[in-house]
Amino acid sequence: MDTGDTAWVLISAALVLFMTPGLALFYGGMVRAKSVLNMMMMSFGALALISVLWVLYGYSMSFGDDVGGGLLGDPFEFFGLSSLIGTAGLDGAFAPDNLVFTVPSLAFVAFQGVFAVLTVALISGAVADRARFGPWMVFAGVWATLVYFPVAHWVFAFDGAESETGGWIANDLLAIDFAGGTAVHINAGAAGLALALVLGKRRGFGRDPMRPHNLPLVMIGAGILWFGWIGFNSGSALAANGQAAEVFVTTLAATGAATLGWLLTEKLRDGHATSLGAASGVVAGLVAITPACSSVTPLGALAVGLVAGVVCALAVGLKYKLGYDDSLDVVGVHLVGGLWGTVAVGLFASAATTAGVDGLLYGGGVDQLWRQALGALAVLVYSFVLTLVIGGVIAKLMRFRITEEEEVAGIDGVVHAETGYDLASLGGGGGGSALTASGQTRAEARGTNLTDRSRV
């Protein structure tokens, strides 16, 4: 056991854990005022539920010894994690079976567990304003069990790390996904699209303004996500070493380039560079560099990020053209950004990096490119199809979506019997900035300033 590596992995796990409350703020600010608590509760609900399932069987399904074909880990090998605990670590004398490379298995358990939490929480943005909390929690548990845990095994379980045999994408296909472009972002993006189709469109989608009610919350959330993402990517080195430093720099570079790319696209298209665009560009860059951060040079990271910012800024408008209601652009940012970042490895990878592989633009031909494309496609199809089935069954059995009348009244009051802003307690009379029951300002309700970023 290496104490420096262990400290870095534990710190990184804490950083990634902080990302889920950051996501709650990011998503919470993007919805209308009458939906902010429900939106944030879906993230906190995922944090609670997936933490429990991860201890019981999630870690074992993801990192237990493969039960066949590289598709699933043995759900009973580490059930309850009892086999991984003990006092040997007090003097640094861990048995080899309780180590993952140079860190205690439980440090690795903690690190990977918060990845699982975040992935589930990401999906919630696609169904904002209309998903009942109880059925959402059922969906979160079933989806994690049938989709995330197996896919994590495919992508993150390397032969000989925690168990003898791992997943097919990591060990047979040899696609590079350093920190979760496939397992986290393509997975969540495809699931978000499927679930949005199951629940249907919000009332007034494409017609009524559905502007973010609190952009400062969005900016704070994006800042927390950027901060936590350093642990997400650099922590995936599982060591305090040169690779972690390399990944820190590529993550920083790509995110900055993506933010500039998004803002430039907005300026040229709409005439304005917005705070919402800046926050969204940050996330797009972080998503795209996640799979590629160990395999591209700093200059390559700038290219990956810049393209991600432009492409994702354009992709968020597809929902209006194609007719699906992805409320907070999980598809446009996470699915599209994840696909680009994963495929970009096959283009921009350099053998000079710690990944040691050349992509097409560095003389490596298409060998790595087809591996990346196949891995991305496999996760996309699996997640999309399974989510359609899971969401459809829950919708039939539990009334997943609130009624139109409840949507008009506001999901916070209907489902949680709370409101995010108790304006009545402030007293006083009217005032042009007071909120209507729909969470819009009265000026917006009269039809002024109704622009949202995807409908310009």
Side-chain angles (χ1 to χ4, degrees):
M1 184 183 71
D2 186 285
T3 55
D5 294 346
T6 302
W8 173 236
V9 171
L10 290 174
I11 290 169
S12 295
L15 289 170
V16 180
L17 175 62
F18 193 36
M19 289 173 67
T20 297
L23 181 71
L25 291 169
F26 182 74
Y27 278 173
M30 289 177 69
V31 297
R32 291 170 288 181
K34 61 182 179 179
S35 305
V36 57
L37 294 180
N38 177 259
M39 192 71 259
M40 299 181 79
M41 278 289 288
M42 286 199 280
S43 288
F44 277 85
L47 178 54
L49 177 62
I50 306 307
S51 296
V52 172
L53 298 185
W54 189 249
V55 168
L56 292 177
Y57 60 83
Y59 179 74
S60 195
M61 288 182 66
S62 301
F63 293 98
D65 201 30
D66 186 69
V67 296
L71 298 176
L72 186 68
D74 182 352
F76 302 106
E77 182 175 358
F78 303 117
F79 186 89
L81 306 180
S82 296
S83 62
L84 301 179
I85 65 174
T87 58
L90 295 178
D91 59 5
F94 265 86
D97 290 344
N98 283 354
L99 287 174
V100 177
F101 302 116
T102 62
V103 303
S105 290
L106 284 179
F108 185 68
V109 169
F111 182 66
Q112 288 293 341
V114 288
F115 274 59
V117 168
L118 182 68
T119 306
V120 175
L122 286 172
I123 301 170
S124 64
V127 293
D129 295 328
R130 61 200 189 277
R132 295 174 62 232
F133 184 68
W136 160 256
M137 292 294 286
V138 174
F139 169 83
V142 175
W143 188 87
T145 301
L146 299 182
V147 181
Y148 181 78
F149 298 156
V151 171
H153 181 74
W154 301 357
V155 176
F156 293 143
F158 288 90
D159 292 348
E162 178 67 293
S163 297
E164 182 177 350
T165 309
W168 72 276
I169 289 180
N171 302 289
D172 300 324
L173 183 61
L174 300 179
I176 295 173
D177 183 0
F178 189 73
T182 54
V184 176
H185 299 294
I186 293 175
N187 202 2
L193 176 59
L195 198 59
L197 294 175
V198 169
L199 266 63
K201 302 172 187 177
R202 289 167 292 176
R203 181 182 181 274
F205 171 73
R207 183 191 71 226
D208 298 338
M210 298 180 182
R211 301 176 64 210
H213 86 282
N214 193 326
L215 287 170
L217 279 188
V218 176
M219 298 291 282
I220 292 169
I224 292 173
L225 287 171
W226 196 342
F227 176 68
W229 223 294
I230 298 303
F232 195 93
N233 286 359
S234 292
S236 293
L238 299 180
N241 60 13
Q243 185 177 58
E246 179 181 298
V247 168
F248 193 126
V249 172
T250 56
T251 300
L252 184 68
T255 307
T259 305
L260 295 176
W262 192 302
L263 291 174
L264 179 61
T265 302
E266 277 192 327
K267 179 65 176 176
L268 294 176
R269 182 188 61 191
D270 309 331
H272 306 283
T274 68
S275 59
L276 179 60
S280 301
V282 165
V283 177
L286 291 166
V287 168
I289 198 59
T290 292
C293 53
S294 70
S295 58
V296 299
T297 66
L299 288 177
L302 291 176
V304 171
L306 182 63
V307 173
V310 173
V311 170
C312 291
L314 299 174
V316 295
L318 290 175
K319 60 186 178 183
Y320 294 104
K321 296 179 180 179
L322 300 180
Y324 61 89
D325 186 6
D326 168 26
S327 306
L328 306 183
D329 300 318
V330 178
V331 176
V333 175
H334 293 276
L335 179 56
V336 173
L339 285 169
W340 161 242
T342 301
V343 172
V345 173
L347 298 173
F348 293 99
S350 168
T353 66
T354 52
V357 173
D358 278 325
L360 179 63
L361 300 181
Y362 283 76
V366 298
D367 183 64
Q368 194 61 43
L369 184 61
W370 76 261
R371 297 176 190 276
Q372 299 300 124
L374 180 57
L377 181 63
V379 173
L380 190 161
V381 172
Y382 180 80
S383 180
F384 181 79
V385 172
L386 265 289
T387 305
L388 276 179
V389 174
I390 296 167
V393 171
I394 293 174
K396 291 286 186 182
L397 298 178
M398 298 186 66
R399 192 169 71 87
F400 206 152
R401 180 181 174 140
I402 60 175
T403 66
E404 184 172 309
E405 292 76 15
E406 291 170 337
E407 190 177 340
V408 171
I411 193 170
D412 285 354
V414 170
V415 173
H416 302 287
E418 297 175 302
T419 179
Y421 305 95
D422 188 8
L423 300 180
S425 66
L426 298 178
S433 63
L435 292 172
T436 67
S438 68
Q440 303 167 315
T441 67
R442 293 195 179 99
E444 291 170 348
R446 288 195 299 269
T448 61
N449 194 23
L450 299 185
T451 302
D452 84 22
R453 71 177 183 198
S454 303
R455 300 176 60 225
V456 172

